[in-house]
Amino acid sequence: MSEQSGAMARPRTSTRDTGEAQAAVRAWLRTRVPDPDAEVLDLAVPSANGMSSETLLLTARWTENGGPVERRLVVRLAPRVDAMPVFPRYDLAAQFESMRLVRDHVPVPDVHWYEPDPAPLGSPFFVMERLDGRVPPDIPPYVYGSWVTELSPQARSRMQDATVEAIAALHRIPDAPSRFAFLDRETPNGRSTLRRHVDATRAFADWAAAEHPSPLIDRGFAWLDANWPSEEGPTVLSWGDSRVGNIMYTEGTDALPAAVLDWEMAALGVPELDLAWLVDLHRMFQTGAERRGVPGLPDFLRWDDVAARYAELTGYHPRDEEFHRVYASLRMSVISLRTQLRAVHFGEIAMPDDPDDLIRARCDLEDLITA
């Protein structure tokens, strides 16, 4: 996850020393490959995206079957407790398994190893291949000027369609409730998939705001209860963090998904969860740009266009736009509150008198629930 401001500095995401991490990864790798002299080269922390899990980029080199092997790898780690994690729970095994199961349906990096033992690096982690491509930047957001704004309108339309196609492909995976049952965080107890998803978000909000309750977030959940859909969509695998900033796109004149990334928010859900998240996170970027006099991309990722393309691909017509966009904005508000509380924790900002002032783009949720 990442923040929504156009001019913010990159918040702290790690408390690890990269030199120590490189030595630790090297020692661990030598237990996984048949070479006691395996090496880890050029370990680095990415500078553009990612706010919740920690990421290390590296090249590993070893000898196997008499010949040299070199792999460009990504290590995804659960954050340590002293990094004040964004989420209360980091199920790396579930992320690893989700990526393994969806690989036949959408492009994702090959996952190589999962390490549940926190001893080697201080927290559990998994290792996957590192792919090449381009990602819409978060800081500053791509709408302020980036390779996305430089695409032709036709290429950007194809990028939008291909993004919706990737989401539709995930939602078409058969037998999702049984195949991805390990992602269901709440006991069913006769409650619907959507209700369980909201219940889990409510529990997350209570945890995130335990010391600094947010009246705005409480109002958001009350709005959901008062405006609950009369008919919910089918149960599907919800990617969760379904935004263009979590997709690596191909180079060139056409930007097509080369890798669907960041699976820590994956869950069982309904189709509108991913569609509304895709639309609303772009809308938050776009609204921020317009308030600063930047034109941005007003014709990109609009609900009607996204929903129409999804219906063409799946035969299912997304509904209850207002509800799901409020829920998307509310979920983002909870994450924003937590990430800003992390900034307070690390001394990067001061704690305001009103906890709601920590919610970046709070006006987006306020506008939605008071319209």
Side-chain angles (χ1 to χ4, degrees), residues 136-203:
D138 287 346
I139 304 176
Y142 58 88
V143 295
Y144 286 80
S146 65
W147 64 265
V148 183
T149 60
E150 294 171 1
L151 291 173
S152 70
Q154 295 79 13
R156 201 158 44 244
S157 178
R158 289 192 291 271
M159 174 185 175
Q160 175 177 290
D161 285 349
T163 300
V164 177
E165 288 163 13
I167 293 173
L170 289 172
H171 293 179
R172 287 196 300 262
I173 297 176
D175 303 319
S178 57
R179 209 177 270 196
F180 296 95
F182 59 90
L183 294 175
D184 202 352
R185 304 286 190 250
E186 296 290 315
T187 303
N189 291 332
R191 297 169 79 79
S192 69
T193 298
L194 179 59
R195 175 52 74 182
R196 296 201 304 277
H197 197 283
V198 173
D199 287 348
T201 304
R202 174 80 262 190

Side-chain angles (χ1 to χ4, degrees), residues 249-298:
Y249 293 89
T250 55
E251 303 277 359
T253 56
D254 277 338
L256 304 176
V260 177
L261 307 171
D262 283 6
W263 288 84
E264 63 202 358
M265 292 172 62
L268 293 179
V270 296
E272 289 86 356
L273 295 179
D274 284 338
L275 301 178
W277 191 258
L278 175 70
V279 168
D280 211 58
L281 265 70
H282 172 72
R283 183 189 62 81
M284 285 190 281
F285 279 160
Q286 179 62 26
T287 300
E290 291 174 358
R291 286 173 179 155
R292 293 171 174 82
V294 178
L297 296 169

Side-chain angles (χ1 to χ4, degrees), residues 73-335:
L73 301 172
V74 177
V75 180
R76 290 282 281 177
L77 308 99
R80 300 192 309 200
V81 174
D82 61 358
M84 194 180 176
V86 173
F87 297 109
R89 180 172 180 263
Y90 286 82
D91 192 340
L92 275 294
Q95 292 182 48
F96 185 92
E97 184 67 4
S98 295
M99 294 178 68
R100 188 187 70 80
L101 290 175
V102 305
R103 183 160 178 76
D104 290 338
H105 304 274
V106 296
V108 294
D110 274 335
V111 286
H112 296 308
W113 300 290
Y114 166 60
E115 178 54 75
D117 186 354
L121 294 182
S123 60
F125 62 92
F126 67 85
V127 182
M128 60 186 175
E129 70 172 326
R130 181 179 174 186
L131 300 175
D132 292 317
R134 49 187 175 173
V135 177
D138 287 346
I139 304 176
Y142 58 88
V143 295
Y144 286 80
S146 65
W147 64 265
V148 183
T149 60
E150 294 171 1
L151 291 173
S152 70
Q154 295 79 13
R156 201 158 44 244
S157 178
R158 289 192 291 271
M159 174 185 175
Q160 175 177 290
D161 285 349
T163 300
V164 177
E165 288 163 13
I167 293 173
L170 289 172
H171 293 179
R172 287 196 300 262
I173 297 176
D175 303 319
S178 57
R179 209 177 270 196
F180 296 95
F182 59 90
L183 294 175
D184 202 352
R185 304 286 190 250
E186 296 290 315
T187 303
N189 291 332
R191 297 169 79 79
S192 69
T193 298
L194 179 59
R195 175 52 74 182
R196 296 201 304 277
H197 197 283
V198 173
D199 287 348
T201 304
R202 174 80 262 190
F204 169 38
D206 290 343
W207 171 85
E211 297 182 7
H212 302 282
S214 163
L216 176 59
I217 287 173
D218 289 340
R219 286 171 53 207
F221 281 107
W223 188 97
L224 294 182
D225 288 338
N227 294 273
W228 200 265
S230 59
E231 184 179 358
E232 299 176 14
T235 298
V236 298
L237 168 65
S238 173
W239 172 19
D241 203 357
S242 51
R243 58 194 181 89
V244 292
N246 277 336
I247 297 179
M248 180 177 287
Y249 293 89
T250 55
E251 303 277 359
T253 56
D254 277 338
L256 304 176
V260 177
L261 307 171
D262 283 6
W263 288 84
E264 63 202 358
M265 292 172 62
L268 293 179
V270 296
E272 289 86 356
L273 295 179
D274 284 338
L275 301 178
W277 191 258
L278 175 70
V279 168
D280 211 58
L281 265 70
H282 172 72
R283 183 189 62 81
M284 285 190 281
F285 279 160
Q286 179 62 26
T287 300
E290 291 174 358
R291 286 173 179 155
R292 293 171 174 82
V294 178
L297 296 169
D299 297 328
F300 189 51
L301 294 175
R302 295 180 298 191
W303 173 269
D304 288 347
D305 298 332
V306 167
R309 181 59 180 152
Y310 186 88
E312 290 175 3
L313 293 165
T314 66
Y316 174 78
H317 293 266
R319 51 182 175 256
D320 299 303
E321 172 191 356
E322 183 182 22
F323 177 92
H324 287 285
R325 291 185 64 180
V326 167
Y327 185 32
S329 183
L330 176 60
R331 292 165 66 201
M332 187 64 236
S333 294
V334 177
I335 293 168

